Amino acid sequence: MLKALVTDVDGTITDRRRRINTRAIEAIRTLVDASIEVVLASGNTVCFMDGLCKMVGTDGTIIGENGGVYRRRFGGTLQIPGDRAACLEAFDILRDHFAAKGIGLELLSAQYRFADVAFAREIDPDEARAVIRDRHLPIRVLDTGFALHLQAPGVSKETAMRKLAGDMGLLPDDILAIGDSENDIEMLKAAGIGVAVANAAAPTRAAADWVSGSAYGDGFVEAVKKYYPDLFSR
């Protein structure tokens, strides 16, 4: 049996409006009660993830800010491999570029972030990438479908997942990873089994070992029941 689950949040255990899927929460609690490690992995902030973990019922092991931060359990030390200063520098350049076009960029939860920069998804991500590339900045632009994020190279959900796997005494092959967006692709490829829910973008579906028939949280439940059949046949 796979020994751990790493799952994205928005678009994976929610619906299209970011409302949590209650069946997905029930499935996660079934895994937790069976001593399966469950890691919530998101572009969201640590404080958001902490509240979510408390309400869902996991032990607080998280990947936040798209791998820019991660932590083993609530009492663990927060690790911050991201480079927020470089991300802020890149954001200033993007803000000036789009301001010249009459477009303002709205920072999201800036005061709560340690590693990356997130802003409202109101511009063409490819244009933002072109600006970053033309300035030769060592920054990635990630489109989660809900927001745009600036992240240091070499930092991802995958890298954080590998670090946490080591902390848990596991290998990536022991992990089932589920996601829907481009920021999940590396994680899905590195896991023992990578699953994309049906609403996932085409590149994410292509990276997965299996794609659920259902979308959003219902697809998550479908995947968990497929790969942990003994826990859901009782």
Side-chain angles (χ1 to χ4, degrees):
M1 179 185 290
L2 293 160
K3 298 175 181 177
L5 166 71
V6 179
T7 182
D8 173 53
V9 176
D10 293 319
T12 301
I13 62 171
T14 70
D15 65 12
R16 68 177 68 243
R17 293 167 58 186
R18 293 188 76 195
R19 297 179 302 185
I20 203 79
N21 183 299
T22 55
R23 291 179 63 236
I25 302 312
E26 291 172 359
I28 288 173
R29 289 175 179 168
T30 296
L31 296 177
V32 170
D33 290 344
S35 299
I36 303 297
E37 300 273 3
V38 176
V39 181
L40 302 183
S42 175
N44 282 298
T45 62
V46 172
C47 57
F48 176 97
M49 299 295 285
D50 281 352
L52 183 61
C53 288
K54 287 283 189 184
M55 300 299 285
V56 169
T58 70
D59 69 0
T61 300
I62 57 167
I63 297 170
E65 299 186 39
N66 298 301
V69 297
Y70 64 90
R71 185 192 63 218
R72 177 80 170 112
R73 299 197 177 105
F74 284 114
T77 300
L78 186 68
Q79 305 297 319
I80 309 175
D83 185 349
R84 183 161 169 77
C87 294
L88 285 169
E89 178 184 351
F91 177 77
D92 287 342
I93 289 170
L94 288 175
R95 182 182 57 195
D96 291 346
H97 171 85
F98 286 101
K101 297 178 139 189
I103 302 171
L105 301 186
E106 178 190 356
L107 276 172
L108 301 176
S109 56
Q111 68 271 38
Y112 302 115
R113 291 187 173 272
F114 298 96
D116 78 354
V117 169
F119 54 100
R121 194 172 178 268
E122 298 173 342
I123 59 172
D124 181 356
D126 288 335
E127 183 176 355
R129 291 182 180 112
V131 172
I132 296 296
R133 184 175 59 249
D134 291 346
R135 296 295 188 98
H136 305 289
L137 298 175
I139 293 296
R140 297 197 302 163
V141 178
L142 299 173
D143 181 5
T144 69
F146 295 89
L148 295 181
H149 294 253
L150 303 179
Q151 185 60 272
V155 176
S156 68
K157 290 183 181 180
E158 177 210 351
T159 57
M161 181 184 75
R162 288 184 181 277
K163 293 288 189 182
L164 285 172
D167 291 345
M168 293 185 285
L170 303 177
L171 298 172
D173 284 349
D174 296 320
I175 296 174
L176 169 65
I178 308 178
D180 77 301
S181 192
E182 69 175 38
N183 63 331
D184 297 315
I185 289 175
E186 296 155 314
M187 177 178 77
L188 299 189
K189 287 182 175 180
I193 296 176
V195 170
V197 287
N199 54 288
T204 310
R205 294 197 304 271
D209 297 299
W210 185 75
V211 179
S212 66
S214 301
Y216 297 98
D218 289 337
F220 170 86
V221 174
E222 183 183 345
V224 171
K225 288 185 175 182
K226 174 180 173 64
Y227 290 103
Y228 295 96
D230 292 346
L231 298 181
F232 294 91
S233 60
R234 299 170 184 173

